[in-house]
Amino acid sequence: MQETTTASLNGKLPAPPPRAPAGWPAVVAVMLGIFVIVTTEILPIGLLTSIGTDFTVSDGMAGLTMTMPGILAAVVALPVTVATARVDRRLMLCAFILLLALANFLAAAAPDYWLVLVSRVMVGVTIGGFWSIGAGLAERLVPPASVGRATAVVFSAVPLGSVLGVPLGTLIGDLAGWRTAFAVMGAMTIVVLVLLVLYVPPLPPVHVTRPAVLRGMLRRTDTRFALLLTFLVVLAHFGTYTYVTPFLERVTGVGGGPITVFLLVYGAAGILGNFLGGARVARYPRTVFGLAAGLIGAATLLLPSLGRGETGAVLLLVVWGMAYGAVPVASQTWFARAAPHAPEAAAVLFTASFQATISAGALAGGVVLDRTSPSTVMVLGGCVAVLMVVAVVTVRVRHEPGDGHAPAAADPAPSAGR
């Protein structure tokens, strides 16, 4: 009885009966869930011009399709996670994926632009709920020794969404129209729903994410620093990458098929960056995060000059892709270490901050693009990335009382997600 009471006070439910880890098929199913979410979220990047032309709106206005999901994800991440804290986590994952499928089909059939934005609101709710649960789920699916690798696999969905999802969506859009791309994405989402049902076991909740837990995390220096770094690097990236298609069309002078190839190259580099960063971030989080931001800054600052030719543009996209591939796993690692005994709370903060900044970046980039040029967007984004490097170099996060997990570069640390 005493054990149950203590667990409740700590926001932790009585442990369910022990069971064997679900294994790698479940990890892959969760990874594919994040893959279809990421792909759906950033799919408009490759279709931005087509969507804008179809509804007679500017590129900046069409950029709202990128802004809306992030805003909603940031807003709903906490309330949805708290409201469903006692519901089986597999059931919630499946419910969010079903909502995503409906959102894709709505976008494909929308006769008016406002309905497309409604579909993007549904995408945002999915992101806020699924990511907050799924981002820290690896430790419940595989043995402890495999948690680090499983976390890297789950987050490989982010660059995979770029290397496969966005370019293929762009290709489908070029061949059959942007609506077909969303319809195909809806069908893929249904397949993922089936895989989640088949391979992810029942996951009774073991922690209750409460606002008090999040408030406690926000009082920690390492959590606030993680928020700062995440804000700067994601703002720099999505303020620029959201409008990479207009840049390639107007400045580099390519379109259609070549842009699809360029995005494929970028995504392939992102996969490599994800696993290289994931292999190093546990021991050197500061170095990995700072190096990623520095390379993003260098690539975006150089694009207006070196990106005028196809060769220069491709090389800089490779650098950019490798750098950004390491960002999600680095950011999530910092948040996870701030609350090693509340992984779902850490995932909520990671999701909310990441998605809010995606929206801020896409919105800011759209405003700048409509008033200036794609080159100016790249330069300003690069300057923000440089600010993040300055923060990494100059700000030192010290161990706080009772904290054995502060992300100092010289300290060995447990695997990501633990």
Side-chain angles (χ1 to χ4, degrees), residues 263-324:
L263 294 177
L264 279 168
V265 170
Y266 165 89
I271 293 176
L272 178 61
N274 172 76
F275 284 102
L276 289 177
R280 298 289 184 271
V281 73
R283 290 185 60 84
Y284 308 106
R286 184 181 296 270
T287 300
V288 171
F289 225 173
L291 182 60
L295 291 176
I296 290 172
T300 51
L301 287 172
L302 291 173
L303 264 174
S305 55
L306 301 183
R308 294 184 177 275
E310 293 187 9
T311 301
V314 168
L315 291 176
L316 289 174
L317 284 174
V318 168
V319 173
W320 191 352
M322 287 185 63
Y324 181 70

CSV table of all heavy atoms in Angstrom, one decimal, residues 263-324:
chain,number,residue,atom,x,y,z
A,263,LEU,N,16.6,17.1,-53.3
A,263,LEU,CA,16.1,16.8,-52.0
A,263,LEU,C,16.4,15.3,-51.6
A,263,LEU,O,16.6,15.1,-50.4
A,263,LEU,CB,14.6,17.0,-52.0
A,263,LEU,CG,14.1,18.4,-52.2
A,263,LEU,CD1,12.6,18.5,-52.3
A,263,LEU,CD2,14.6,19.3,-51.1
A,264,LEU,N,16.5,14.4,-52.6
A,264,LEU,CA,16.9,13.1,-52.2
A,264,LEU,C,18.4,13.1,-51.7
A,264,LEU,O,18.7,12.4,-50.7
A,264,LEU,CB,16.8,12.2,-53.5
A,264,LEU,CG,15.5,11.6,-53.9
A,264,LEU,CD1,15.5,11.0,-55.2
A,264,LEU,CD2,15.0,10.6,-52.8
A,265,VAL,N,19.2,13.8,-52.3
A,265,VAL,CA,20.6,13.9,-51.9
A,265,VAL,C,20.7,14.5,-50.5
A,265,VAL,O,21.4,14.0,-49.6
A,265,VAL,CB,21.4,14.8,-52.8
A,265,VAL,CG1,22.8,15.1,-52.3
A,265,VAL,CG2,21.6,14.1,-54.2
A,266,TYR,N,19.9,15.6,-50.2
A,266,TYR,CA,19.8,16.2,-48.9
A,266,TYR,C,19.4,15.1,-47.9
A,266,TYR,O,20.0,15.0,-46.8
A,266,TYR,CB,18.9,17.3,-48.9
A,266,TYR,CG,18.4,17.8,-47.5
A,266,TYR,CD1,19.2,18.7,-46.9
A,266,TYR,CD2,17.3,17.2,-46.9
A,266,TYR,CE1,18.8,19.2,-45.6
A,266,TYR,CE2,16.9,17.6,-45.7
A,266,TYR,CZ,17.7,18.6,-45.0
A,266,TYR,OH,17.3,19.0,-43.7
A,267,GLY,N,18.3,14.4,-48.2
A,267,GLY,CA,17.8,13.4,-47.2
A,267,GLY,C,18.7,12.3,-47.0
A,267,GLY,O,18.9,11.8,-45.8
A,268,ALA,N,19.4,11.8,-48.0
A,268,ALA,CA,20.4,10.7,-47.8
A,268,ALA,C,21.5,11.2,-46.9
A,268,ALA,O,22.0,10.4,-46.0
A,268,ALA,CB,21.0,10.3,-49.2
A,269,ALA,N,22.0,12.4,-47.0
A,269,ALA,CA,23.0,13.0,-46.1
A,269,ALA,C,22.4,13.1,-44.7
A,269,ALA,O,23.1,12.9,-43.7
A,269,ALA,CB,23.4,14.3,-46.6
A,270,GLY,N,21.1,13.3,-44.6
A,270,GLY,CA,20.5,13.4,-43.3
A,270,GLY,C,20.5,12.1,-42.5
A,270,GLY,O,20.7,12.1,-41.3
A,271,ILE,N,20.3,11.0,-43.3
A,271,ILE,CA,20.3,9.7,-42.6
A,271,ILE,C,21.7,9.4,-42.1
A,271,ILE,O,21.8,8.9,-40.9
A,271,ILE,CB,19.9,8.6,-43.6
A,271,ILE,CG1,18.5,8.8,-44.0
A,271,ILE,CG2,20.2,7.2,-43.1
A,271,ILE,CD1,18.0,7.8,-45.1
A,272,LEU,N,22.7,9.7,-42.8
A,272,LEU,CA,24.1,9.5,-42.4
A,272,LEU,C,24.3,10.4,-41.1
A,272,LEU,O,24.9,9.9,-40.1
A,272,LEU,CB,25.1,9.9,-43.5
A,272,LEU,CG,26.6,9.8,-43.2
A,272,LEU,CD1,26.9,8.4,-42.8
A,272,LEU,CD2,27.4,10.3,-44.3
A,273,GLY,N,23.9,11.7,-41.2
A,273,GLY,CA,24.1,12.5,-40.0
A,273,GLY,C,23.4,12.1,-38.8
A,273,GLY,O,23.9,12.2,-37.7
A,274,ASN,N,22.2,11.5,-39.0
A,274,ASN,CA,21.4,11.0,-37.8
A,274,ASN,C,22.2,9.9,-37.1
A,274,ASN,O,22.3,9.9,-35.9
A,274,ASN,CB,20.1,10.4,-38.3
A,274,ASN,CG,19.3,9.7,-37.2
A,274,ASN,OD1,18.7,10.3,-36.4
A,274,ASN,ND2,19.4,8.4,-37.3
A,275,PHE,N,22.8,8.9,-37.8
A,275,PHE,CA,23.5,7.8,-37.2
A,275,PHE,C,24.8,8.2,-36.7
A,275,PHE,O,25.3,7.8,-35.6
A,275,PHE,CB,23.5,6.6,-38.1
A,275,PHE,CG,22.2,5.9,-38.2
A,275,PHE,CD1,21.4,6.1,-39.3
A,275,PHE,CD2,21.8,5.1,-37.2
A,275,PHE,CE1,20.2,5.4,-39.4
A,275,PHE,CE2,20.6,4.4,-37.3
A,275,PHE,CZ,19.8,4.6,-38.4
A,276,LEU,N,25.5,9.1,-37.4
A,276,LEU,CA,26.8,9.6,-36.9
A,276,LEU,C,26.6,10.5,-35.6
A,276,LEU,O,27.3,10.3,-34.6
A,276,LEU,CB,27.5,10.5,-38.0
A,276,LEU,CG,28.0,9.8,-39.2
A,276,LEU,CD1,28.6,10.8,-40.2
A,276,LEU,CD2,29.1,8.8,-38.8
A,277,GLY,N,25.6,11.3,-35.6
A,277,GLY,CA,25.3,12.1,-34.4
A,277,GLY,C,24.8,11.2,-33.3
A,277,GLY,O,25.2,11.4,-32.1
A,278,GLY,N,24.0,10.3,-33.6
A,278,GLY,CA,23.5,9.4,-32.6
A,278,GLY,C,24.5,8.6,-31.9
A,278,GLY,O,24.5,8.3,-30.7
A,279,ALA,N,25.6,8.2,-32.7
A,279,ALA,CA,26.7,7.5,-32.1
A,279,ALA,C,27.6,8.3,-31.2
A,279,ALA,O,28.3,7.7,-30.3
A,279,ALA,CB,27.5,6.9,-33.2
A,280,ARG,N,27.6,9.6,-31.3
A,280,ARG,CA,28.5,10.5,-30.6
A,280,ARG,C,27.8,11.3,-29.5
A,280,ARG,O,28.4,11.7,-28.5
A,280,ARG,CB,29.2,11.4,-31.5
A,280,ARG,CG,30.1,10.7,-32.5
A,280,ARG,CD,31.3,10.1,-31.9
A,280,ARG,NE,32.2,9.5,-32.9
A,280,ARG,CZ,32.1,8.2,-33.4
A,280,ARG,NH1,31.1,7.4,-32.9
A,280,ARG,NH2,32.9,7.8,-34.3
A,281,VAL,N,26.5,11.5,-29.6
A,281,VAL,CA,25.8,12.5,-28.8
A,281,VAL,C,25.8,12.0,-27.3
A,281,VAL,O,25.7,12.9,-26.4
A,281,VAL,CB,24.4,12.8,-29.3
A,281,VAL,CG1,23.4,11.6,-29.0
A,281,VAL,CG2,23.8,14.0,-28.7
A,282,ALA,N,25.8,10.8,-27.1
A,282,ALA,CA,25.7,10.3,-25.7
A,282,ALA,C,27.0,10.8,-24.9
A,282,ALA,O,26.8,11.2,-23.7
A,282,ALA,CB,25.7,8.8,-25.6
A,283,ARG,N,28.1,10.8,-25.5
A,283,ARG,CA,29.3,11.2,-24.8
A,283,ARG,C,29.7,12.7,-25.1
A,283,ARG,O,30.2,13.4,-24.2
A,283,ARG,CB,30.5,10.4,-25.3
A,283,ARG,CG,30.5,8.9,-24.8
A,283,ARG,CD,31.7,8.2,-25.2
A,283,ARG,NE,32.9,8.8,-24.6
A,283,ARG,CZ,33.4,8.5,-23.4
A,283,ARG,NH1,32.7,7.7,-22.6
A,283,ARG,NH2,34.5,9.1,-22.9
A,284,TYR,N,29.3,13.2,-26.2
A,284,TYR,CA,29.7,14.6,-26.6
A,284,TYR,C,28.5,15.4,-27.1
A,284,TYR,O,28.5,15.9,-28.2
A,284,TYR,CB,30.8,14.6,-27.6
A,284,TYR,CG,31.9,13.7,-27.3
A,284,TYR,CD1,32.1,12.5,-27.9
A,284,TYR,CD2,32.9,14.1,-26.3
A,284,TYR,CE1,33.2,11.7,-27.6
A,284,TYR,CE2,33.9,13.3,-26.0
A,284,TYR,CZ,34.1,12.1,-26.6
A,284,TYR,OH,35.2,11.3,-26.3
A,285,PRO,N,27.5,15.6,-26.2
A,285,PRO,CA,26.3,16.3,-26.7
A,285,PRO,C,26.5,17.7,-27.1
A,285,PRO,O,26.0,18.2,-28.1
A,285,PRO,CB,25.3,16.3,-25.4
A,285,PRO,CG,26.3,16.0,-24.3
A,285,PRO,CD,27.4,15.2,-24.8
A,286,ARG,N,27.4,18.5,-26.3
A,286,ARG,CA,27.7,19.8,-26.7
A,286,ARG,C,28.4,19.9,-28.0
A,286,ARG,O,28.1,20.8,-28.9
A,286,ARG,CB,28.6,20.5,-25.6
A,286,ARG,CG,28.9,22.0,-25.8
A,286,ARG,CD,29.7,22.5,-24.7
A,286,ARG,NE,29.1,22.5,-23.4
A,286,ARG,CZ,28.3,23.5,-23.0
A,286,ARG,NH1,28.2,24.5,-23.7
A,286,ARG,NH2,27.8,23.3,-21.8
A,287,THR,N,29.3,19.1,-28.3
A,287,THR,CA,30.1,19.1,-29.5
A,287,THR,C,29.2,18.8,-30.7
A,287,THR,O,29.2,19.4,-31.8
A,287,THR,CB,31.3,18.1,-29.5
A,287,THR,OG1,32.1,18.5,-28.4
A,287,THR,CG2,32.0,18.1,-30.8
A,288,VAL,N,28.4,17.7,-30.6
A,288,VAL,CA,27.5,17.3,-31.6
A,288,VAL,C,26.5,18.4,-32.0
A,288,VAL,O,26.3,18.8,-33.1
A,288,VAL,CB,26.7,16.0,-31.3
A,288,VAL,CG1,25.6,15.7,-32.3
A,288,VAL,CG2,27.7,14.8,-31.2
A,289,PHE,N,25.8,19.0,-30.9
A,289,PHE,CA,24.8,20.0,-31.2
A,289,PHE,C,25.5,21.2,-31.8
A,289,PHE,O,24.9,21.8,-32.7
A,289,PHE,CB,24.2,20.4,-29.8
A,289,PHE,CG,22.7,20.5,-29.9
A,289,PHE,CD1,21.9,20.7,-28.7
A,289,PHE,CD2,22.0,20.4,-31.1
A,289,PHE,CE1,20.6,20.8,-28.8
A,289,PHE,CE2,20.6,20.5,-31.2
A,289,PHE,CZ,19.9,20.7,-30.0
A,290,GLY,N,26.6,21.7,-31.2
A,290,GLY,CA,27.3,22.9,-31.8
A,290,GLY,C,27.8,22.7,-33.2
A,290,GLY,O,27.7,23.6,-34.0
A,291,LEU,N,28.4,21.5,-33.5
A,291,LEU,CA,28.8,21.2,-34.8
A,291,LEU,C,27.7,21.2,-35.8
A,291,LEU,O,27.8,21.8,-36.9
A,291,LEU,CB,29.6,19.9,-34.9
A,291,LEU,CG,30.2,19.5,-36.2
A,291,LEU,CD1,31.2,20.5,-36.7
A,291,LEU,CD2,30.9,18.1,-36.1
A,292,ALA,N,26.6,20.6,-35.4
A,292,ALA,CA,25.4,20.6,-36.3
A,292,ALA,C,25.0,22.0,-36.7
A,292,ALA,O,24.7,22.3,-37.8
A,292,ALA,CB,24.3,19.8,-35.7
A,293,ALA,N,24.9,22.8,-35.6
A,293,ALA,CA,24.4,24.2,-35.9
A,293,ALA,C,25.4,25.0,-36.7
A,293,ALA,O,25.0,25.8,-37.6
A,293,ALA,CB,24.2,24.9,-34.6
A,294,GLY,N,26.7,24.8,-36.5
A,294,GLY,CA,27.7,25.4,-37.3
A,294,GLY,C,27.7,25.1,-38.7
A,294,GLY,O,27.8,25.9,-39.6
A,295,LEU,N,27.5,23.8,-39.0
A,295,LEU,CA,27.4,23.4,-40.4
A,295,LEU,C,26.1,23.9,-41.1
A,295,LEU,O,26.1,24.2,-42.3
A,295,LEU,CB,27.5,21.8,-40.5
A,295,LEU,CG,28.8,21.2,-40.1
A,295,LEU,CD1,28.7,19.7,-40.1
A,295,LEU,CD2,29.9,21.7,-41.1
A,296,ILE,N,25.0,23.9,-40.4
A,296,ILE,CA,23.8,24.5,-40.9
A,296,ILE,C,24.0,26.0,-41.3
A,296,ILE,O,23.6,26.5,-42.3
A,296,ILE,CB,22.6,24.3,-40.0
A,296,ILE,CG1,22.2,22.8,-39.9
A,296,ILE,CG2,21.4,25.2,-40.4
A,296,ILE,CD1,21.1,22.6,-38.8
A,297,GLY,N,24.6,26.7,-40.3
A,297,GLY,CA,24.9,28.1,-40.6
A,297,GLY,C,25.8,28.3,-41.8
A,297,GLY,O,25.6,29.2,-42.6
A,298,ALA,N,26.9,27.5,-41.9
A,298,ALA,CA,27.8,27.6,-43.0
A,298,ALA,C,27.1,27.4,-44.3
A,298,ALA,O,27.2,28.1,-45.3
A,298,ALA,CB,29.0,26.7,-42.8
A,299,ALA,N,26.3,26.3,-44.4
A,299,ALA,CA,25.6,25.9,-45.6
A,299,ALA,C,24.6,27.0,-46.1
A,299,ALA,O,24.6,27.4,-47.2
A,299,ALA,CB,24.9,24.6,-45.4
A,300,THR,N,23.8,27.5,-45.1
A,300,THR,CA,22.8,28.5,-45.5
A,300,THR,C,23.4,29.9,-45.8
A,300,THR,O,22.9,30.6,-46.7
A,300,THR,CB,21.7,28.7,-44.4
A,300,THR,OG1,22.4,28.9,-43.1
A,300,THR,CG2,20.9,27.4,-44.3
A,301,LEU,N,24.5,30.2,-45.1
A,301,LEU,CA,25.1,31.5,-45.4
A,301,LEU,C,25.8,31.5,-46.8
A,301,LEU,O,25.9,32.5,-47.5
A,301,LEU,CB,26.2,31.8,-44.3
A,301,LEU,CG,25.6,32.3,-43.0
A,301,LEU,CD1,26.7,32.4,-42.0
A,301,LEU,CD2,24.9,33.7,-43.2
A,302,LEU,N,26.3,30.3,-47.2
A,302,LEU,CA,27.1,30.2,-48.5
A,302,LEU,C,26.2,29.9,-49.7
A,302,LEU,O,26.6,30.2,-50.8
A,302,LEU,CB,28.1,29.1,-48.4
A,302,LEU,CG,29.3,29.3,-47.4
A,302,LEU,CD1,30.1,28.1,-47.3
A,302,LEU,CD2,30.1,30.5,-48.0
A,303,LEU,N,24.9,29.5,-49.4
A,303,LEU,CA,24.0,29.2,-50.5
A,303,LEU,C,23.8,30.3,-51.5
A,303,LEU,O,23.8,30.2,-52.7
A,303,LEU,CB,22.7,28.6,-50.0
A,303,LEU,CG,22.6,27.1,-49.9
A,303,LEU,CD1,21.3,26.7,-49.3
A,303,LEU,CD2,22.6,26.5,-51.3
A,304,PRO,N,23.6,31.6,-51.0
A,304,PRO,CA,23.3,32.7,-51.9
A,304,PRO,C,24.4,32.9,-52.9
A,304,PRO,O,24.2,33.4,-54.0
A,304,PRO,CB,23.1,33.9,-51.0
A,304,PRO,CG,22.6,33.3,-49.8
A,304,PRO,CD,23.3,32.0,-49.6
A,305,SER,N,25.7,32.6,-52.6
A,305,SER,CA,26.8,32.8,-53.5
A,305,SER,C,27.2,31.5,-54.2
A,305,SER,O,27.2,31.4,-55.4
A,305,SER,CB,28.0,33.3,-52.7
A,305,SER,OG,28.3,32.5,-51.6
A,306,LEU,N,27.5,30.4,-53.4
A,306,LEU,CA,27.9,29.2,-54.0
A,306,LEU,C,26.7,28.3,-54.6
A,306,LEU,O,26.9,27.5,-55.4
A,306,LEU,CB,28.7,28.3,-53.0
A,306,LEU,CG,29.9,29.0,-52.4
A,306,LEU,CD1,30.7,28.0,-51.5
A,306,LEU,CD2,30.9,29.5,-53.5
A,307,GLY,N,25.5,28.6,-54.1
A,307,GLY,CA,24.4,27.9,-54.6
A,307,GLY,C,23.7,28.3,-55.9
A,307,GLY,O,22.7,27.8,-56.3
A,308,ARG,N,24.4,29.3,-56.6
A,308,ARG,CA,23.8,29.7,-57.8
A,308,ARG,C,24.1,28.7,-59.0
A,308,ARG,O,23.4,28.7,-60.0
A,308,ARG,CB,24.5,31.1,-58.2
A,308,ARG,CG,24.1,32.2,-57.3
A,308,ARG,CD,24.6,33.5,-57.7
A,308,ARG,NE,24.1,34.6,-56.8
A,308,ARG,CZ,23.0,35.2,-56.9
A,308,ARG,NH1,22.1,34.9,-57.9
A,308,ARG,NH2,22.6,36.1,-56.0
A,309,GLY,N,25.0,27.8,-58.7
A,309,GLY,CA,25.3,26.7,-59.7
A,309,GLY,C,24.8,25.4,-59.1
A,309,GLY,O,24.7,25.3,-57.8
A,310,GLU,N,24.4,24.4,-59.9
A,310,GLU,CA,23.9,23.2,-59.4
A,310,GLU,C,24.9,22.4,-58.5
A,310,GLU,O,24.5,21.9,-57.5
A,310,GLU,CB,23.4,22.3,-60.6
A,310,GLU,CG,22.2,22.9,-61.3
A,310,GLU,CD,21.7,21.9,-62.4
A,310,GLU,OE1,22.1,20.8,-62.4
A,310,GLU,OE2,20.8,22.4,-63.1
A,311,THR,N,26.2,22.4,-58.9
A,311,THR,CA,27.2,21.7,-58.2
A,311,THR,C,27.3,22.2,-56.8
A,311,THR,O,27.3,21.5,-55.8
A,311,THR,CB,28.5,21.7,-58.9
A,311,THR,OG1,28.4,21.1,-60.2
A,311,THR,CG2,29.6,20.9,-58.1
A,312,GLY,N,27.5,23.5,-56.7
A,312,GLY,CA,27.6,24.2,-55.4
A,312,GLY,C,26.4,24.0,-54.5
A,312,GLY,O,26.5,23.7,-53.3
A,313,ALA,N,25.2,24.0,-55.1
A,313,ALA,CA,23.9,23.8,-54.4
A,313,ALA,C,23.9,22.4,-53.8
A,313,ALA,O,23.5,22.2,-52.6
A,313,ALA,CB,22.7,24.1,-55.2
A,314,VAL,N,24.2,21.4,-54.6
A,314,VAL,CA,24.2,20.0,-54.2
A,314,VAL,C,25.1,19.8,-53.0
A,314,VAL,O,24.8,19.2,-52.0
A,314,VAL,CB,24.5,19.1,-55.3
A,314,VAL,CG1,24.7,17.7,-54.8
A,314,VAL,CG2,23.3,19.1,-56.3
A,315,LEU,N,26.4,20.3,-53.2
A,315,LEU,CA,27.4,20.1,-52.1
A,315,LEU,C,26.9,20.7,-50.8
A,315,LEU,O,27.1,20.1,-49.7
A,315,LEU,CB,28.7,20.7,-52.5
A,315,LEU,CG,29.4,19.9,-53.7
A,315,LEU,CD1,30.7,20.7,-54.1
A,315,LEU,CD2,29.8,18.5,-53.3
A,316,LEU,N,26.4,21.9,-50.9
A,316,LEU,CA,25.9,22.6,-49.6
A,316,LEU,C,24.7,21.9,-49.0
A,316,LEU,O,24.6,21.8,-47.8
A,316,LEU,CB,25.6,24.0,-49.9
A,316,LEU,CG,26.8,24.9,-50.2
A,316,LEU,CD1,26.4,26.3,-50.6
A,316,LEU,CD2,27.7,25.0,-49.0
A,317,LEU,N,23.8,21.3,-49.9
A,317,LEU,CA,22.7,20.5,-49.4
A,317,LEU,C,23.2,19.3,-48.7
A,317,LEU,O,22.6,18.8,-47.7
A,317,LEU,CB,21.7,20.2,-50.5
A,317,LEU,CG,20.8,21.3,-51.0
A,317,LEU,CD1,20.0,20.9,-52.2
A,317,LEU,CD2,19.9,21.8,-49.9
A,318,VAL,N,24.3,18.7,-49.1
A,318,VAL,CA,24.8,17.5,-48.5
A,318,VAL,C,25.3,17.9,-47.0
A,318,VAL,O,25.0,17.2,-46.1
A,318,VAL,CB,26.0,16.9,-49.3
A,318,VAL,CG1,26.8,15.9,-48.4
A,318,VAL,CG2,25.5,16.3,-50.5
A,319,VAL,N,26.0,19.0,-47.0
A,319,VAL,CA,26.5,19.5,-45.6
A,319,VAL,C,25.3,19.8,-44.7
A,319,VAL,O,25.3,19.4,-43.6
A,319,VAL,CB,27.4,20.7,-45.8
A,319,VAL,CG1,27.8,21.3,-44.5
A,319,VAL,CG2,28.7,20.3,-46.6
A,320,TRP,N,24.4,20.5,-45.3
A,320,TRP,CA,23.2,20.8,-44.5
A,320,TRP,C,22.4,19.6,-44.0
A,320,TRP,O,22.0,19.5,-42.9
A,320,TRP,CB,22.3,21.7,-45.4
A,320,TRP,CG,21.1,22.4,-44.8
A,320,TRP,CD1,20.7,22.3,-43.5
A,320,TRP,CD2,20.3,23.4,-45.4
A,320,TRP,NE1,19.6,23.1,-43.3
A,320,TRP,CE2,19.3,23.8,-44.4
A,320,TRP,CE3,20.2,23.9,-46.7
A,320,TRP,CZ2,18.3,24.7,-44.7
A,320,TRP,CZ3,19.2,24.9,-47.0
A,320,TRP,CH2,18.3,25.2,-46.0
A,321,GLY,N,22.2,18.6,-44.9
A,321,GLY,CA,21.5,17.4,-44.6
A,321,GLY,C,22.2,16.7,-43.5
A,321,GLY,O,21.5,16.2,-42.5
A,322,MET,N,23.5,16.5,-43.6
A,322,MET,CA,24.2,15.8,-42.5
A,322,MET,C,24.1,16.5,-41.2
A,322,MET,O,23.9,15.8,-40.1
A,322,MET,CB,25.7,15.6,-42.9
A,322,MET,CG,26.0,14.6,-44.0
A,322,MET,SD,27.8,14.4,-44.3
A,322,MET,CE,28.3,13.8,-42.7
A,323,ALA,N,24.2,17.8,-41.2
A,323,ALA,CA,24.1,18.6,-40.0
A,323,ALA,C,22.8,18.4,-39.3
A,323,ALA,O,22.7,18.1,-38.1
A,323,ALA,CB,24.4,20.0,-40.3
A,324,TYR,N,21.7,18.6,-40.1
A,324,TYR,CA,20.4,18.6,-39.5
A,324,TYR,C,20.0,17.2,-39.1
A,324,TYR,O,19.2,17.0,-38.1
A,324,TYR,CB,19.3,19.1,-40.4
A,324,TYR,CG,17.9,19.1,-39.8
A,324,TYR,CD1,17.7,20.0,-38.7
A,324,TYR,CD2,17.0,18.2,-40.2
A,324,TYR,CE1,16.4,20.0,-38.1
A,324,TYR,CE2,15.8,18.1,-39.5
A,324,TYR,CZ,15.5,19.0,-38.5
A,324,TYR,OH,14.3,19.0,-37.9
